[in-house]
Amino acid sequence: MWHAVKTLNAHNGYVCALIAKVARYSVSAALRKESVALVYKSHGDPMQVLKLQKLNLPALGDSEVLIKMLAAPINPADINMVQGTYAVLPELPAVGGNEGVGQVLEVGGHVTSFRPGDWVIPRDAGLGTWRKELVLKEHALLRVPSDIPLACAATLSVNPCTAIRMLSDFENLQPGNSVIQNAANSGVGQAVIQIAATKGIKTINVVRNRPNFQTLTEYLQSLGADYVITEESLRKPEMKDIFKNIPHPRLALNCVGGKSATEMLRHLQHGGTMVTYGGMAKQPVTAPVSSLIFKNVKLCGFWMTQWKRDHEHEMGELNEMISSLCSLIRQGKLKAPAYTEVPITDYKTALENAMKPFSSSKQILVM
Ligand SMILES: NC(=O)c1ccc[n+]([C@@H]2O[C@H](COP(=O)([O-])OP(=O)(O)OC[C@H]3O[C@@H](n4cnc5c(N)ncnc54)[C@H](OP(=O)(O)O)[C@@H]3O)[C@@H](O)[C@H]2O)c1
């Protein structure tokens, strides 16, 4: 699954060194007080290798912030990181989790951007968010408003950002244009549906068939989905009926790979783009020769972590993206993905549910 992502990571060495630095820092022996964290000392099955344990908190430096984590989701990339199959891996032992929201408890003498009580999210991946408290550098954090729902803040920095970038950066989509995506019930997929709806972009949403397909369809439609179809329908002639009402998509968003990606490609407009951002089926992407020659479709990849690093020095763009997402949240146009809150002490249940197929519910650890 991560082969495609690995090829995107041009700065692997740099990234690993960065994450390793953070991991070492987090388990520093410079005692301040203790935190509790989900730690793994070796890679493997998350159910086996993750353990809840006490960690020493380092003393608060002048440019540092003490944070109480409030909530942190379990995303597929977090699982892959613990398994040791992700493109970037922290030095071990490490704390699991890459995103989440925390509240500032205390700031160092030179900190100017945050005050106690502020809500903050990590700017980058690899900080280890599955813990109760942690100390981070001021520049590793972004403030988010504390009047948005906790679950929205906890799941803001990865999936909605990925959705908005993919809808903006590859094709110049106009109201009335259409987008097709698979794994449409994923966290990213739900954000794509809602953000596209705010722009008047039509969405064709592909999901795996399941006994409660109708309920899932109604849920995705309540978010703004125009069409919800199964993987099987994607290959059927009835697809033509959809294109009597809306144009063929200019953009396909591929989270799955394998047959699903191949079939989406067949429906793209001439010159359209398929962006691969996940590989849930663990199958390579196969492009029909006819789509390449006669339709000149473009195949691209996207990795949010890389985008953030590429825009590290353009704070404006990142802040602008976060604030426009928060504005959609405030207007009720962007909800958190369907989720279940689980106390961190019950992490095994959360992990088990996060790794189950057809669960359609993001597991969010609450601290
Ligand atoms: N490149 C990036 O920057 C970026 C950013 C965010 C996320 N991602 C990736 O995007 C993917 C989704 O992340 P998420 O947080 O949105 O996930 P999520 O909410 O946990 O949803 C997982 C999705 O994958 C589907 N799925 C699982 N196994 C599948 C299989 N074998 N075949 C087809 N579909 C399958 C699930 O469908 P069912 O309900 O049918 O099980 C569900 O729609 C992950 O691979 C993640 O790492 C990439």
Side-chain angles (χ1 to χ4, degrees):
M1 145 182 200
W2 290 109
H3 177 73
V5 173
K6 273 182 181 163
T7 60
L8 290 176
N9 180 17
H11 307 294
N12 206 2
Y14 161 74
V15 170
C16 287
L18 198 109
I19 289 180
K21 204 166 137 197
V22 174
R24 266 201 307 279
Y25 176 74
S26 310
V27 292
S28 154
L31 267 181
R32 184 179 182 278
K33 57 178 185 166
E34 281 180 340
S35 174
V36 172
L38 271 175
V39 177
Y40 56 109
K41 293 180 176 156
S42 60
H43 294 297
D45 176 0
M47 295 291 283
Q48 304 298 325
V49 298
L50 278 163
K51 307 270 184 238
L52 202 56
Q53 69 172 66
K54 286 182 179 163
L55 281 189
N56 294 329
L57 275 174
L60 188 67
D62 281 343
S63 305
E64 291 171 345
V65 180
L66 172 66
I67 301 148
K68 174 173 105 173
M69 286 305 297
L70 300 174
I74 301 179
N75 289 324
D78 306 331
I79 299 284
N80 294 138
M81 220 177 232
V82 177
Q83 290 165 331
T85 57
Y86 197 60
V88 290
L89 299 170
E91 188 175 282
L92 301 181
V95 177
N98 288 289
E99 72 166 341
V101 61
Q103 185 167 38
V104 174
L105 291 180
E106 209 179 320
V107 297
H110 296 164
V111 171
T112 53
S113 320
F114 306 107
R115 286 187 305 192
D118 284 348
W119 278 17
V120 287
I121 59 174
R123 176 188 298 278
D124 207 348
L127 301 182
T129 52
W130 297 344
R131 59 174 122 196
K132 291 198 173 183
E133 287 180 345
L134 78 163
V135 172
L136 285 173
K137 297 273 182 207
E138 178 181 19
H139 67 69
L141 295 162
L142 291 171
R143 187 175 38 243
V144 291
S146 55
D147 62 351
I148 60 172
L150 186 70
C152 288
T155 56
L156 182 64
S157 66
V158 180
N159 291 342
C161 293
T162 302
I164 206 167
R165 292 267 58 94
M166 295 194 300
L167 286 169
S168 314
D169 295 352
F170 294 90
E171 286 286 337
N172 180 16
L173 297 172
Q174 300 297 322
N177 288 164
S178 79
V179 170
I180 189 165
Q181 62 163 344
N182 54 21
N185 60 327
S186 65
V188 177
Q190 292 176 56
V192 164
I193 291 170
Q194 297 175 83
I195 295 166
T198 67
K199 295 171 183 273
I201 297 163
K202 307 289 177 194
T203 54
I204 305 166
N205 300 282
V206 186
V207 296
R208 295 196 287 182
N209 203 4
R210 65 199 69 219
N212 65 346
F213 174 71
Q214 193 49 38
T215 313
L216 178 60
T217 300
E218 284 161 19
Y219 172 67
L220 296 179
Q221 284 172 337
S222 77
L223 298 180
D226 294 284
Y227 296 92
V228 182
I229 58 170
T230 61
E231 293 278 354
E232 293 73 26
S233 332
L234 192 56
R235 291 160 206 144
K236 291 195 175 148
E238 293 87 87
M239 284 298 287
K240 285 191 185 130
D241 294 339
I242 294 180
F243 301 120
K244 285 178 190 156
N245 302 320
I246 60 168
H248 281 266
R250 292 173 65 97
L251 182 68
L253 303 177
N254 172 35
C255 172
V256 175
K259 275 187 190 170
S260 178
T262 308
E263 294 301 328
M264 286 205 304
L265 269 177
R266 293 189 203 282
H267 298 296
L268 268 187
Q269 263 186 33
H270 188 281
T273 303
M274 183 169 81
V275 181
T276 293
Y277 69 96
M280 295 304 297
K282 299 184 168 68
Q283 298 290 325
V285 171
T286 307
V289 167
S290 57
S291 298
L292 293 169
I293 299 176
F294 302 118
K295 285 169 74 184
N296 194 22
V297 298
K298 298 182 278 294
L299 303 182
C300 306
F302 178 76
W303 191 29
M304 194 65 228
T305 302
Q306 192 61 52
W307 186 92
K308 284 185 181 160
R309 285 172 187 154
D310 291 345
H311 294 76
E312 203 176 4
H313 302 296
E314 299 155 48
M315 280 299 298
E317 207 165 348
L318 182 57
N319 285 334
E320 205 177 289
M321 174 167 68
I322 296 291
S323 86
S324 69
L325 290 168
C326 289
S327 158
L328 290 180
I329 293 168
R330 283 211 190 89
Q331 293 169 52
K333 294 178 178 170
L334 179 61
K335 290 187 200 155
Y339 66 93
T340 310
E341 283 184 356
V342 186
I344 191 169
T345 45
D346 203 5
Y347 69 94
K348 287 211 170 181
T349 308
L351 284 171
E352 204 174 352
N353 289 333
M355 292 191 285
K356 263 189 205 153
F358 307 114
S359 91
S360 295
S361 185
K362 183 69 73 190
Q363 303 296 301
I364 299 184
L365 297 172
V366 285
M367 312 306 170

